[in-house]
Amino acid sequence: MAHTRVGTAVQRRITGLTAAGAALGMTAVLAGCGAGGGSGDVTLKMVAADYGDSSANSSQKYWDKLAGEFEKKNPGIKVDVDVYSWSDVDAKVADMVKKGQAPDIAQIGAYAGYAAQGKLYSADDLLSIPVQADFLPSLTEAGEVRRTQYGMPFASSTRLLFYNKELFEKAGITGTPQSWGELAQDAELLKEQGVKYPFALPLGREEAPAETLMWLLSGGDGYTDNVGTYTLDSDQNIDTFTWLKDDLVGKGLTGPTAPGDLNRQEAFNAFSRGEVGMLNGHPTLMKQAAKKGVKYGMVPLPGVNGNAKATMGVADWMMGFKQNGHREQIGKFLDFVYSEKNVLDFSERYDILPVTSTASDAMADDPAYKHLREFLEELPTSQLYPVGKTSWAQVSASIKQDIGKAVAPHGNPASILKELQNKAASAEAAE
């Protein structure tokens, strides 16, 4: 669901005792007290993703402030948060877990693999009943592995097609695209006017799985069938990427950067500079574009012959690791994180959709959030990644690495999708 993405890690460090010494001391104390926690000071280590588009609005500032407020109310519990770009954060947590240095809390893109390995507390273990019951039902279900919730949704979004009104006007485009054919025609007109990116197609590693799913849905299929089996190389999906390769990329309608090398934030930045005619975007882009004075419009993503099969929804995930035995302290902090005030604060800061019913209702009723209503309306029926499959993290990584090749000049969409399907099938068989 999903996101900054400053290129380097932004880190918050707590001074005083060395991290190694504190961690060792805490582990020793708590090992004798069981997983529920124990007496003495505890420092929770958290790794989170960055939703800002620059160092000025990095999520580090949000987490530093929130941690400080929590620590004042909970003497004896410190929270040390390190924020990384979306390009790096999942790999960072995976490396920490592999080294036996799992954080207490991670807010990243996938949870199921860790849940299947028995490394996570369930939501039941951590959250108070009112907090757990407040999650939107579709997101609760998406957070389950074998009917137990391990993934706690943290932020969500849906996607719409953004377009630059001034560039459309200069190109003589009076309507908005309702089908792929119309989208390609509009992109041609924008290209004739010298628009740098008539349609920005970010299939780079940052968020290739999202852009890919949006197009698969608009072509009538998706990542899985109705029973959850991967179908990446279905005829419809091959047709979708063949059209992208031949009718958009091949005709020079996606700009000077190869889609496989274009990351989502780079595309958003270009849109905010007035260099992009159209692109698929989530709510965060509204604030970024408005700040730069870009006049934009938003419409549902067009499908191959009209409306897309479904809108893509994304949720990012919070999880608590068992390794350090800080169940009680993790639970206290997460109950604080998921208070209505804090959920709304984060959602407002980044124009992200809230994951709780109370915050969603408050947002829907508040005229200050009317710009998000169209996104909010799409969320209950949107289609999410198959995040409950333990294979999804591996499949997602393969898509990030290879999907851009499908639309490259000498790429073969059928071959690339078949290759991805074979990897997905192997990963699923190993679940």
Side-chain angles (χ1 to χ4, degrees), residues 180 216 219-222 231-243 413-414 417-418 421:
W180 288 0
L216 299 186
D221 204 349
T231 57
L232 278 80
D233 64 343
S234 70
D235 290 343
Q236 285 171 301
N237 289 344
I238 290 171
D239 288 345
T240 294
F241 266 82
T242 299
W243 184 85
L417 288 170
K418 181 66 176 176
Q421 173 63 24

Side-chain angles (χ1 to χ4, degrees), residues 125-200:
D125 290 332
L126 299 173
L127 302 177
S128 64
I129 292 173
V131 169
Q132 189 178 2
D134 198 26
F135 291 131
L136 294 169
S138 61
L139 299 180
T140 294
E141 185 177 343
E144 295 177 349
V145 173
R146 299 183 184 92
R147 300 187 180 181
T148 297
Q149 184 183 4
Y150 295 95
M152 292 159 280
F154 176 68
S156 63
S157 68
T158 53
R159 303 300 162 94
L160 294 172
L161 177 72
F162 283 68
Y163 63 96
N164 183 310
K165 289 184 175 181
E166 291 183 350
L167 295 181
F168 265 47
E169 187 177 340
K170 287 178 183 177
I173 304 169
T174 56
T176 54
Q178 305 298 310
S179 67
W180 288 0
E182 292 178 5
L183 186 147
Q185 289 170 13
D186 291 346
E188 285 280 7
L189 293 171
L190 291 163
K191 181 184 178 184
E192 290 170 10
Q193 289 297 311
V195 174
K196 188 172 182 179
Y197 293 91
F199 187 96

Side-chain angles (χ1 to χ4, degrees), residues 195-259:
V195 174
K196 188 172 182 179
Y197 293 91
F199 187 96
L201 183 67
L203 293 174
R205 291 180 62 88
E206 180 186 355
E207 209 185 28
E211 188 73 18
T212 298
L213 181 55
M214 282 183 271
W215 281 101
L216 299 186
L217 291 171
S218 71
D221 204 349
Y223 283 135
T224 60
D225 61 19
N226 291 334
V227 296
T229 302
Y230 288 110
T231 57
L232 278 80
D233 64 343
S234 70
D235 290 343
Q236 285 171 301
N237 289 344
I238 290 171
D239 288 345
T240 294
F241 266 82
T242 299
W243 184 85
L244 283 173
K245 179 180 183 296
D246 295 342
D247 291 68
L248 277 190
V249 182
K251 293 182 178 178
L253 302 179
T254 54
T257 304

Side-chain angles (χ1 to χ4, degrees), residues 296-312:
Y296 63 88
M298 302 178 298
V299 294
L301 276 59
V304 56
N305 292 312
N307 290 336
K309 171 186 174 182
T311 299
M312 188 198 74

Side-chain angles (χ1 to χ4, degrees), residues 26 31 35 104 125 142 145 221 243 247 250 286 296 319 357 362 391 400 426:
M26 272 314 120
D104 295 289
D125 290 332
V145 173
D221 204 349
W243 184 85
D247 291 68
M286 292 187 294
Y296 63 88
M319 62 211 72
S357 296
S391 56
K400 287 181 180 182
S426 296

Side-chain angles (χ1 to χ4, degrees), residues 330-376:
I330 294 170
K332 282 185 179 180
F333 181 61
L334 292 182
D335 272 358
F336 182 72
V337 167
Y338 284 110
S339 69
E340 181 181 328
K341 173 185 174 294
N342 289 330
V343 172
L344 280 173
D345 182 21
F346 187 86
S347 300
E348 180 180 12
R349 186 178 298 239
Y350 296 109
D351 279 331
I352 293 292
L353 304 184
V355 296
T356 62
S357 296
T358 52
S360 292
D361 291 344
M363 183 175 278
D365 291 340
D366 190 337
Y369 298 109
K370 64 181 180 180
H371 59 295
L372 287 173
R373 282 178 186 160
E374 194 169 355
F375 290 98
L376 281 168

